[in-house]
Amino acid sequence: MTTGWIWHEAFNWHNTGNGSGFFPPGGFIQPYESFDSPATKGRFAALVEVSGFHKQMRRLEATEVTDAEILRVHTPGYLRRLKELDATGGDAGENADFGPQGLRIARLAAGAVASAVRGVLAGEVSNAYALVRPAGHHAEPDRGRGYCILANTSIAAEIAREEFGIKRIAIVDWDVHHGNGTQKVFWEDPNVLTVSLHQDQLYPVDSGFREENGGAGAEGSALNIPLPAGTGDGGYVRAVEQVVIPALQRFQPELIIVGSGMDAAVTDPLGRMMVTSEGFRRMSHLVIQAADELADGNVVFAHEGGYSAHYVPFCGMAVLEELTGVKSAVDDPYYDFFQSYPQRLIEPWQEDAIRKAAVLAQLVPSYAVLQEASHTQNG
C-alpha cells in the first residue's frame, strides 16, 4: 500500500487577515489573528516531516486548477469576482477572506485535491491525503463562505468524472460544520452522494437538517447527520457504523472523497464536540475498509477545517497511520487525559439522533436502482 501525500508551503501563506475570532478589529476589538491561521495545518505538516513519517508516503505534486476546471462547479460571475479581488484581497462572499494574490493559493489548494484524486485513479498510489488551505466545503457555486474560496472536493469529483469516467462518487464530510457548499453543488445530481456529519445548527445555522435529502431527480443523494453538541468518539463512530457505511453500501461508489475536517476535536475553539485522535482513527478505518470493499480502494482524504493548533497534528497522524497501515513514532500525548472524559461515550440523545439519520440512509439511491434508471434512459 502506497499513500500519496500533498502539502505545499504556499498554503501557510494564505492570508485571512486579523481580527478577534469572527470579527474584524476596531473599537474595543483588539487586533489578533483569524481562527483560520497557518498554525494548525502548518504544524500538522511539520509533525509529519519531523517524525520522518513523510518517508512512508509518496509525495504528489499539486498544480493549480484552471479556469475551465473551476467553471465545472462555480459560476463565471464568481470566478470573475475572484479575479477582480485578487490584486487587493477581500471577502469572496461570507467570511471567506484572502489576501493580495491569494487566488493562486486557492487554485493550488483545489489543485492539490485534484492531484490526489488523479494519483489514486491513475494507480500511482493506493490512497492519498491532501493537506490544503484554504478549505473548500462551504464554497457555493456563486460565492465563498466560511473560510472557503473554491469547492476543492467538488472540483476534484468533477475531474474524476470527466477524466476517468467515474460514474458514482461519495463525498463523506465529518468537518464539525455542515458541508453546505458540497451539498449545493450536487443537490440535483443522483450520481454523487454527499454525506455530512456535523454539529447540529453550528454553521451555517440554516442548513444541514435531516430533511435536506436532495433535489428533484436526486432524492436521497444528500444525507445529513446533525449530531448534538458534546458528541464524542462513541457517537461519531456509531454514526459512521450505522449511517455512513450502510449508505455507502447502498450507493456503491467507485470513488470516496473524505472531507477530513478536524474541528470536531475535543479542544477545537469553533466546535463543541469531544472527538479524540482515536475517534478520527476509527472513523478513518471504517471508511477506508468500505472503500476497499466497494470502490477498489479508491479513497482520497482532503483536509477541511480544524482550528486547534496543538491537537490537529495528532488527529491527523492517526488518520495517516490508517491510510498507510504503518504505525508512526508519534503517540498522542493528550489521549490518556482525554479518554477519562465521560463525554467520549455515547449518550441516549445522541443515539436518538443517529437512529433518525439511519432511517434516512435507507433513502440513498441504491446502485441497482441507478443502473435500472440508466438502462431506461439509454432505451
Side-chain angles (χ1 to χ4, degrees):
M1 180 184 297
T2 303
T3 295
W5 166 250
I6 300 182
W7 163 256
H8 196 291
E9 176 60 24
F11 301 144
N12 263 346
W13 292 33
H14 172 54
N15 181 5
T16 53
N18 61 6
S20 183
F22 305 106
F23 304 106
F28 289 113
I29 299 178
Q30 181 179 358
Y32 190 51
E33 63 181 15
S34 168
F35 281 123
D36 183 21
S37 73
T40 52
K41 295 173 185 179
R43 286 167 63 94
F44 179 10
L47 181 60
V48 171
E49 182 78 17
V50 170
S51 68
F53 201 69
H54 64 288
K55 298 174 184 177
Q56 301 293 337
M57 301 179 288
R58 179 180 297 173
R59 176 78 179 242
L60 299 177
E61 296 299 324
T63 57
E64 299 174 33
V65 289
T66 65
D67 284 3
E69 289 166 343
I70 292 171
L71 291 173
R72 292 173 187 169
V73 169
H74 294 288
T75 65
Y78 178 53
L79 179 57
R80 185 165 55 251
R81 172 170 165 74
L82 290 177
K83 290 181 177 181
E84 290 170 352
L85 285 173
D86 194 42
T88 60
D91 190 343
E94 178 186 88
N95 296 319
D97 296 311
F98 64 101
Q101 291 80 53
L103 179 55
R104 172 184 172 270
I105 302 175
R107 287 181 185 269
L108 192 64
V113 181
S115 293
V117 166
R118 287 182 173 117
V120 169
L121 295 180
E124 297 173 13
V125 291
S126 303
N127 52 45
Y129 198 105
L131 176 57
V132 302
R133 184 170 174 267
H137 71 145
H138 292 313
E140 297 176 350
D142 60 351
R143 63 171 173 168
R145 293 185 78 180
Y147 302 142
C148 300
I149 312 297
L150 297 175
N152 301 334
T153 57
S154 299
I155 292 171
E158 291 291 7
I159 288 172
R161 296 206 284 192
E162 182 163 323
E163 295 185 9
F164 294 90
I166 298 295
K167 293 182 172 57
R168 296 179 313 285
I169 299 172
I171 302 177
V172 178
D173 184 347
W174 55 53
D175 188 281
V176 80
H177 307 98
H178 178 231
N180 61 291
T182 313
Q183 175 177 285
K184 193 166 187 176
V185 169
F186 298 111
W187 183 246
E188 296 181 346
D189 191 333
N191 295 302
V192 178
L193 173 64
T194 62
V195 182
S196 180
L197 299 89
H198 50 269
Q199 183 179 321
D200 192 12
Q201 291 185 268
L202 180 58
Y203 180 84
V205 296
D206 58 350
S207 70
F209 301 104
R210 283 189 295 269
E211 294 76 15
E212 299 168 27
N213 299 129
E219 293 85 356
S221 63
L223 178 59
N224 285 296
I225 311 169
L227 296 170
T231 303
D233 291 355
Y236 267 84
V237 172
R238 183 77 59 85
V240 173
E241 290 175 335
Q242 297 191 356
V243 187
V244 177
I245 300 303
L248 293 175
Q249 290 170 337
R250 281 182 61 83
F251 190 71
Q252 294 189 40
E254 298 170 274
L255 168 67
I256 299 173
I257 302 175
V258 177
S260 184
M262 292 177 179
D263 36 13
V266 59
T267 57
D268 198 273
L270 288 185
R272 295 296 178 265
M273 297 307 208
M274 302 293 296
V275 182
T276 71
S277 61
E278 286 304 304
F280 286 109
R281 180 191 305 279
R282 290 164 64 191
M283 289 192 293
S284 300
H285 177 81
L286 289 166
V287 173
I288 293 166
Q289 186 177 59
D292 289 341
E293 295 172 355
L294 303 170
D296 198 28
N298 294 330
V299 63
V300 169
F301 283 63
H303 205 99
E304 293 285 357
Y307 308 97
S308 174
H310 60 276
Y311 200 46
V312 163
F314 297 101
C315 296
M317 287 298 300
V319 175
L320 292 181
E321 288 176 356
E322 289 301 310
L323 280 168
T324 60
V326 177
K327 179 67 180 75
S328 73
V330 177
D331 290 319
D332 179 355
Y334 302 95
Y335 181 69
D336 286 344
F337 179 71
F338 291 147
Q339 70 174 333
S340 66
Y341 283 21
Q343 295 91 342
R344 287 184 56 249
L345 306 177
I346 190 167
E347 299 286 358
W349 54 90
Q350 297 163 5
E351 289 182 322
D352 183 59
I354 293 167
R355 279 195 298 268
K356 290 175 180 176
V359 172
L360 297 174
Q362 298 305 309
L363 302 179
V364 169
S366 72
Y367 174 59
V369 171
L370 290 174
Q371 285 290 91
E372 182 177 346
S374 176
H375 290 154
T376 301
Q377 289 176 353
N378 294 333

